[in-house]
Amino acid sequence: MSDHHGKPPTTVGQFIIATLGGLFAPGLVIFMIVKMVMGIQNGHPQDQDAAAAEKTVVERIKPVGEVALKDASAGPAAAKSGEQVFNEVCIACHGTGALGSPKFGDSGAWGPRISQGYDTLVKHALAGIRAMPARGGNPDLSDIEVAGAVAYMANKAGANFKAPEAPKAEAAPAAAEPAKK
Ligand code: HEC
């Protein structure tokens, strides 16, 4: 007895359609976001590969230049501060006063030595004196490094010596050259 094709949608039917539609739309958005993220993730390894490849190439090229640089600046770059030299070498004896050496920071022991003057102390440190080995036993130390360590130790025991500045760039290689020829 009805002219209508089927019944007009019930509220339940509307609800279901609305719900399905409501789920579908966000679902589509989520799907697209996931696709996008995966696309980004897929893209990244390639970027990293490219960056890594570039790094590898740069690293392969680099050592040649580095070696040359190190050679060119070996003298000044290697110059250690008086404190460094003391901590690496002189401390072995002067840290404790071993072998009758003037102990670090002991102004009583250093006083008479300091009164000899900085130049004399440096000369003795370079050449050695009695139980004090030349350059503290480390022939690799430069004059300036030894002089710096002398100033560092003496100053900690009351002196006011001014250590020679390590010459930048030129002086050290120039000084080393005549020895090589
Ligand atoms: C193997 C132990 C030893 C080491 C390492 C050592 N010294 Fe000495 N040093 C001595 C002794 C021992 C004396 C005391 C020598 C003496 O007057 O009989 C001395 C004395 C000195 C003096 C005083 C010299 C003088 O004319 O009175 C200076 C300066 C000095 N050392 C500097 C250094 C410096 C700088 C270093 C590190 C680069 C160093 N020493 C490392 C043992 C050492």
Side-chain angles (χ1 to χ4, degrees):
M1 283 267 295
S2 175
D3 299 334
H4 299 286
H5 301 286
K7 287 180 264 178
T10 63
T11 40
V12 174
Q14 276 177 331
F15 176 72
I16 290 170
I17 288 165
T19 306
L20 286 178
L23 283 175
F24 182 70
L28 190 73
V29 170
I30 289 169
F31 175 71
M32 280 162 68
I33 289 172
V34 168
K35 280 284 272 191
M36 216 169 75
V37 169
M38 276 166 51
I40 290 166
Q41 277 176 340
N42 284 341
H44 261 294
Q46 283 169 359
D47 288 352
Q48 280 166 358
D49 283 354
E54 203 173 301
K55 227 183 218 174
T56 312
V57 170
V58 168
E59 257 153 33
R60 277 192 197 132
I61 296 168
K62 234 160 86 181
V64 179
E66 259 181 6
V67 169
L69 269 176
K70 261 183 201 157
D71 275 353
S73 61
K80 289 173 183 158
S81 73
E83 185 177 356
Q84 265 179 305
V85 172
F86 168 74
N87 282 320
E88 285 171 23
V89 180
C90 323
I91 199 170
C93 296
H94 290 273
T96 59
L99 304 176
S101 59
K103 191 177 166 186
F104 184 71
D106 183 344
S107 42
W110 275 100
R113 302 192 183 262
I114 288 166
S115 60
Q116 297 178 98
Y118 185 44
D119 290 349
T120 303
L121 289 181
V122 171
K123 212 179 283 172
H124 289 167
L126 288 172
I129 178 169
R130 292 176 287 267
M132 161 74 200
R135 293 174 199 267
N138 185 341
D140 291 341
L141 293 177
S142 71
D143 289 8
I144 279 172
E145 286 170 331
V146 172
V150 171
Y152 176 72
M153 279 199 285
N155 290 351
K156 289 287 179 180
N160 194 16
F161 297 145
K162 195 178 177 323
E165 293 283 316
K168 293 292 167 210
E170 273 178 71
E177 255 173 29
K180 274 183 201 160
K181 278 171 191 168

